[in-house]
Amino acid sequence: MRLRLPEERPTEPPTGYKIAHPVLSHDGTRAGFTGVSLGGALPYGVLADASCVYGLGHRAPHRRCDCGFHCVHDRTAAEALLCTAEHRAAVLLEITVLGRYLRYELGFRYARQRVRAATVGPCGCGAVAVALADAGWGRPGWLGLAPSCAGCLRGRTSVSLAGFARLAGEGLRVVAGKGAAVASAEALGVPELAAEAALLQARLDWFQSQLARLGERGPGGERQG
């Protein structure tokens, strides 16, 4: 006699939490995420279907395989994963579990998901992030991104938090983690505009510094004395 687990028929799709790395397509027209463990080589969009990463023919999730999307029930448990060195630049995702799923003690393994919100942590310097910038790694066709403040952009390929949300589409919300700068912007009710302004100012400062260096060298490329 083979025991079967009880089937669930929720009135609303379950909510879960996970961490992932934000990525930007090489042409700058699309944004998405890539996992931090199993299936991390396959970027996914805001609305995505899982497939077996081992190339087997079954539908994900399969009871005798570990394929499918993964998430945990508790937001705090997902936030704890951001403490490890290799995950410091990841973002926290709030997702809706769609389609078939298997429930475990700590979370779900499931077939389809919608990313509702992404919370971006602080810049590596500790300041509140206003953008996602080139992290120095990537996947074929995709550039890995990491949180950055305006002062640390230094001309790297970057996109503001609001810009990332627009490129990702599907109503994704992207917000910065807690911090003094974020609290001030929210008091004005224009956090996206504040982030865009800071990003533009950082890029302007970088261009001005490059122009100053070119001016010092003169038209022939030699430094003026």
Side-chain angles (χ1 to χ4, degrees):
M1 177 179 173
R2 191 174 73 176
L3 298 177
R4 295 180 62 88
L5 295 175
E7 291 188 2
E8 296 185 11
R9 299 184 181 278
T11 57
E12 295 182 357
T15 295
Y17 302 90
K18 62 195 300 183
I19 64 172
H21 293 291
V23 292
L24 180 70
S25 64
H26 71 285
D27 58 2
T29 61
R30 292 176 294 157
F33 304 95
T34 186
V36 297
S37 57
L38 182 68
L42 302 174
Y44 56 84
V46 172
L47 184 62
D49 294 287
S51 60
C52 180
V53 296
Y54 303 111
L56 302 178
H58 55 242
R59 291 191 303 165
H62 195 277
R63 292 183 182 276
R64 297 183 180 180
C65 186
D66 55 3
C67 60
F69 289 122
H70 296 71
C71 73
V72 295
H73 299 304
D74 186 56
R75 181 187 179 98
T76 304
E79 290 175 333
L81 299 176
L82 297 171
C83 294
T84 61
E86 63 271 27
H87 298 157
R88 289 290 179 91
V91 299
L92 176 69
L93 304 183
E94 177 185 332
I95 61 96
T96 298
V97 175
L98 303 172
R100 300 170 57 248
Y101 64 82
L102 300 175
R103 180 187 289 271
Y104 298 93
E105 181 181 0
L106 298 179
F108 298 100
R109 184 159 62 90
Y110 51 98
R112 184 174 171 83
Q113 70 178 9
R114 177 185 293 276
V115 182
R116 295 204 304 253
T119 302
V120 179
C123 175
C125 71
V128 175
V130 300
L132 292 166
D134 183 3
W137 62 271
R139 301 283 185 264
W142 295 87
L143 187 69
L145 302 177
S148 177
C149 67
C152 291
L153 287 175
R154 296 191 180 93
R156 290 181 294 164
T157 299
S158 61
V159 60
S160 68
L161 304 189
F164 185 91
R166 287 194 300 269
L167 292 175
E170 298 289 345
L172 175 68
R173 293 184 297 108
V174 181
V175 297
K178 294 180 180 178
V182 174
S184 176
E186 289 177 347
L188 296 175
V190 289
E192 292 84 359
L193 290 177
E196 292 280 8
L199 180 58
L200 290 174
Q201 184 61 53
R203 288 175 173 170
L204 178 60
D205 291 343
W206 180 81
F207 279 118
Q208 288 178 333
S209 67
Q210 298 302 306
L211 288 173
R213 290 175 55 189
L214 291 174
E216 292 176 357
R217 293 183 178 278
E222 298 180 355
R223 186 174 296 274
Q224 300 294 301

